[in-house]
Amino acid sequence: MTDTPTPSPDGSDRTLPRLIRDTLPFALDVAVEVAKNNGVCIRPIELRRLDTHTGMTESFNIPCGATQEAKCPPCATRNKQLRKAQCREGWHLDHEPITEPHPSTDDQRWLIEFLADVQAKRDEAERDGEDTLDWDEAIAGIDAEINAAGMRGNVLGGRATSKRSRSTRRRQDAPDLPKRAKQDTTLGRTFIASDGKVYRPSLFVTLTLPSYGRVHNGVPVNPATYDYAAAARDALHFSKLVDRFVQNLRRVAGYDVQYFASVEPQKRLAPHLHMAIRGTMPRAEVKAIAAATYHQVWWPSVDEVRFDGDHLPIWAQRAERAEPYPDGQAGDYLDPATGELLPTWDEALDQLGTDEAAEPLHMVRFGAQADVQGVLAGSPDADQCLIYLSKYLTKNLGDPLDPKDVANQARRDHATRMVEALRYEPCSPACANWLRYGIQPKGAKAGMLPGRCKGKAHKAEHLGYAGRRILVSRKWSNKTLREHKADRRAWVLDMLGLPDDTVTDPHRYVWRPVSSKDPNRTPLAKRLLREVANRQRTRARLIELQARADGRPIEDLSVIGEAA
């Protein structure tokens, strides 16, 4: 008589030796791996939908939408493909994107007339010396209704406070740039060949930050002489430099330049820019624009460390002040030795503005290496440039670029030194590190400590760059990312022969997230299995339809459909 194997609590066979059982993979890990292979989100968000017409409740799994491969590879890959489609559609347009707003409706015009009447009564109350607080609240409510009615912006516009500005005169050490009259187009020049064929070339530009010391295989040759302080500040303000480059490019080009750009990590862990530009310009001119572009950071000086170690500013509830804080600050930071109030962010900027001898805290510029290539639509070069633009979209700036690199430990040490250089660098006006230099951060609150800022720029996975990784101009493809996603969904539904039911009554369904503490929440494993089965059925159906379109036999595909 054969003994029946007794399963252990983890589902393995107890008759197997323990050393062998420990080498067996966990079933849930395999389920996650299968989900990844089938393009199914491994961190789905469960939502319940209540149909107010029928009273029925259904559960749905919504993809997490992560853009980083370390969090969810299927969602990151899906977002990467979506960005590639967005770049491809807008790069070589041969017609102007239409951006004309829709005509106003009767309801929208009535709201504006109503606002005009309320504003007139508010102005009358102000002239009579009456309190206008109630009128201001009414106007704010009408503004909210105006936006809800499908109108953009604010009717009154303007700023509540004056904008702080500085002289726009260019630095003497920066070359001047030509400025051409701007044409109302986004397409750029075309060229006609002798056979009458029209060519509409575009550009692919790569810009980098300057050198901070000799590097080999992405690692400083001499870390002691590598300028980590400059590298940290350049990374912190790189996004502003890119904005300046686009401004200068449009002034010189003479047309409304449209672009699709991605910020990616170099091997030395510094951010650099790949940019697809619609239209063409002389390469020497683009390089001259990059060389002449700079951004000055007009922030208070951080040369003197006033508070460090155990000697840190102390928080006190709001004291009596002559003028209230504009940002609603609830208290003040004081010098622990003298009890003196530290200057606020606005006060520090005012002091900087009155100092005629003041210098910018930092000036960031591009490095000497600038690569400019001409690209034609549909060419192999265009496909290769798309690969470059999306190569590292699913990775963090701090991720190792080559897992097999023998210098990984040296690069990790390099990244550690970079993070340490960023530790006390102010990343924004609200950064807690300003307390180290005797300045209250913008919107200061209790519990702030220098070196403990929670901003993205200070984290190892970002290495100083906290801006957006994808930069797309407004008239690139004349579609938002959501519209590109809807196009891909519509194509799949059309291929499957299913109706598009996205247009429904917005008040019919009520969606609610399912709490992780809900006892009726569907286990993750069961949700993954359901989504894998759905994905296999969809894929089998698409394969069958493709076979029909190609005229291939489909008898062998029935097995796939049954298995799915």
Side-chain angles (χ1 to χ4, degrees):
M1 182 175 180
T2 305
D3 294 334
T4 303
T6 304
S8 63
D10 62 0
S12 59
D13 188 353
R14 283 187 179 275
T15 61
L16 296 174
R18 183 179 182 84
L19 290 178
I20 297 179
R21 291 204 310 268
D22 290 345
T23 62
L24 300 178
F26 284 104
L28 181 57
D29 292 342
V30 177
V32 171
E33 184 179 352
V34 170
K36 291 180 182 179
N37 294 337
N38 284 271
V40 173
C41 174
I42 62 174
R43 305 190 314 165
I45 302 171
E46 187 175 9
L47 298 178
R48 288 202 183 105
R49 187 183 72 177
L50 171 64
D51 189 336
T52 57
H53 291 184
T54 64
M56 293 182 59
T57 302
E58 294 181 90
S59 294
F60 290 86
N61 289 325
I62 308 300
C64 66
T67 59
Q68 299 300 312
E69 195 174 42
K71 296 180 180 179
C72 181
C75 285
T77 302
R78 194 155 43 245
N79 278 294
K80 178 179 177 179
Q81 296 301 325
L82 187 63
R83 287 296 191 179
K84 290 176 70 173
Q86 183 185 30
C87 180
R88 186 183 296 108
E89 286 192 29
W91 198 354
H92 298 94
L93 282 182
D94 56 0
H95 59 279
E96 291 289 348
I98 301 173
T99 56
E100 292 294 328
H102 299 300
S104 61
T105 64
D106 292 338
D107 293 338
Q108 292 171 343
R109 288 191 291 270
W110 180 88
L111 279 172
I112 297 299
E113 292 173 355
F114 181 50
L115 177 62
D117 184 51
V118 174
Q119 182 66 39
K121 294 180 179 178
R122 189 263 181 206
D123 294 341
E124 182 180 353
E126 185 179 25
R127 286 194 301 269
D128 295 340
E130 300 176 4
D131 185 11
T132 61
L133 180 60
D134 292 340
W135 290 113
D136 291 336
E137 292 179 354
I139 291 174
I142 298 173
D143 281 334
E145 292 185 25
I146 286 174
N147 294 141
M151 289 179 277
R152 294 178 296 166
N154 187 297
V155 176
L156 299 177
R159 291 177 175 267
T161 58
S162 59
K163 182 181 178 181
R164 194 183 302 273
S165 61
R166 283 190 168 271
S167 172
T168 57
R169 186 179 62 177
R170 289 185 62 79
R171 293 177 60 95
Q172 295 299 317
D173 58 351
D176 292 330
L177 292 170
K179 184 177 180 180
R180 298 189 176 96
K182 187 176 178 180
Q183 302 177 4
D184 189 18
T185 180
T186 66
L187 302 182
R189 299 171 59 189
T190 58
F191 300 87
I192 303 177
S194 57
D195 58 356
K197 187 175 181 179
V198 178
Y199 291 91
R200 191 182 297 276
S202 296
L203 293 176
F204 181 75
V205 179
T206 300
L207 300 175
T208 66
L209 287 171
S211 173
Y212 311 108
R214 287 188 59 196
V215 296
H216 176 69
N217 199 22
V219 179
V221 175
N222 186 356
T225 60
Y226 193 81
D227 195 349
Y228 281 100
R233 292 182 181 178
D234 280 359
L236 286 169
H237 304 286
F238 185 70
S239 60
K240 295 293 185 182
L241 182 66
V242 174
D243 290 342
R244 295 295 183 193
F245 174 72
V246 173
Q247 293 173 10
N248 291 337
L249 190 68
R250 285 173 171 167
R251 291 192 185 103
V252 176
Y255 71 99
D256 192 4
V257 175
Q258 301 299 302
Y259 60 90
F260 180 101
S262 64
V263 178
E264 299 172 353
Q266 283 186 291
K267 201 168 186 179
R268 57 177 176 153
L269 303 182
H272 76 297
L273 183 77
H274 289 312
M275 178 176 284
I277 298 175
R278 187 189 305 154
T280 187
M281 297 172 59
R283 300 186 185 186
E285 200 167 65
V286 177
K287 292 182 179 180
I289 295 171
T293 298
Y294 63 90
H295 172 67
Q296 298 183 115
V297 183
W298 286 99
W299 282 358
S301 174
V302 295
D303 294 336
E304 179 187 358
V305 178
R306 290 190 54 189
F307 303 99
D308 195 12
D310 296 332
H311 182 66
L312 296 175
I314 57 176
W315 173 261
Q317 286 301 113
R318 173 183 291 278
E320 293 295 332
R321 294 177 61 90
E323 297 181 1
Y325 289 114
D327 53 12
Q329 191 170 312
D332 293 285
Y333 276 98
L334 314 177
D335 188 320
T338 64
E340 176 187 4
L341 287 175
L342 300 186
T344 65
W345 171 257
D346 287 332
E347 291 170 348
L349 287 188
D350 290 339
Q351 183 179 359
L352 181 65
T354 57
D355 186 359
E356 296 294 337
E359 293 289 334
L361 172 66
H362 184 64
M363 186 178 72
V364 54
R365 308 182 79 151
F366 290 113
Q369 295 181 350
D371 184 56
V372 183
Q373 303 177 19
V375 181
L376 290 175
S379 66
D381 289 341
D383 296 334
Q384 188 65 32
C385 289
L386 278 174
I387 294 175
Y388 270 105
L389 280 165
S390 58
K391 188 175 182 181
Y392 295 124
L393 289 187
T394 61
K395 299 184 181 297
N396 292 316
L397 289 176
D399 285 347
L401 304 186
D402 185 2
K404 299 180 181 179
D405 189 356
V406 296
N408 258 353
Q409 182 57 50
R411 297 191 63 211
R412 280 194 289 269
D413 294 340
H414 173 48
T416 301
R417 290 189 292 268
M418 183 68 175
V419 172
E420 186 61 28
L422 288 162
R423 181 180 179 186
Y424 291 109
E425 280 292 335
C427 64
S428 70
C431 183
N433 287 337
W434 287 114
L435 293 174
R436 178 179 171 89
Y437 308 105
I439 298 170
Q440 298 192 57
K442 189 173 184 179
K445 55 186 177 182
M448 302 182 80
L449 293 172
R452 301 286 184 87
C453 178
K454 297 181 180 179
K456 285 200 309 182
H458 298 284
K459 297 180 179 179
E461 59 266 30
H462 295 281
L463 290 179
Y465 182 80
R468 291 178 291 121
R469 295 286 299 278
I470 293 292
L471 311 170
V472 187
S473 55
R474 294 182 181 275
K475 301 177 184 177
W476 176 255
S477 62
N478 201 32
K479 294 180 183 178
T480 63
L481 195 62
R482 179 177 295 181
E483 290 171 330
H484 283 286
K485 187 181 297 184
D487 289 346
R488 293 167 66 86
R489 182 178 186 275
W491 179 85
V492 173
L493 292 176
D494 182 63
M495 288 291 296
L496 295 174
L498 299 175
D500 189 351
D501 58 352
T502 55
V503 181
T504 57
D505 182 2
H507 303 290
R508 177 175 178 176
Y509 298 107
V510 178
W511 295 83
R512 291 287 184 271
V514 180
S515 172
S516 58
K517 299 179 181 179
D518 191 334
N520 297 323
R521 186 183 186 186
T522 309
L524 175 61
K526 185 177 291 187
R527 288 187 282 146
L528 291 179
L529 294 177
R530 288 176 180 174
E531 293 303 316
V532 168
N534 290 336
R535 182 58 58 91
Q536 290 179 341
R537 280 194 292 268
T538 301
R539 184 179 291 113
R541 179 60 176 163
L542 287 174
I543 293 175
E544 179 182 351
L545 292 173
Q546 184 65 47
R548 291 181 185 275
D550 296 341
R552 292 187 282 109
I554 61 175
E555 290 79 4
D556 55 336
L557 296 175
S558 60
V559 179
I560 299 178
E562 294 174 1

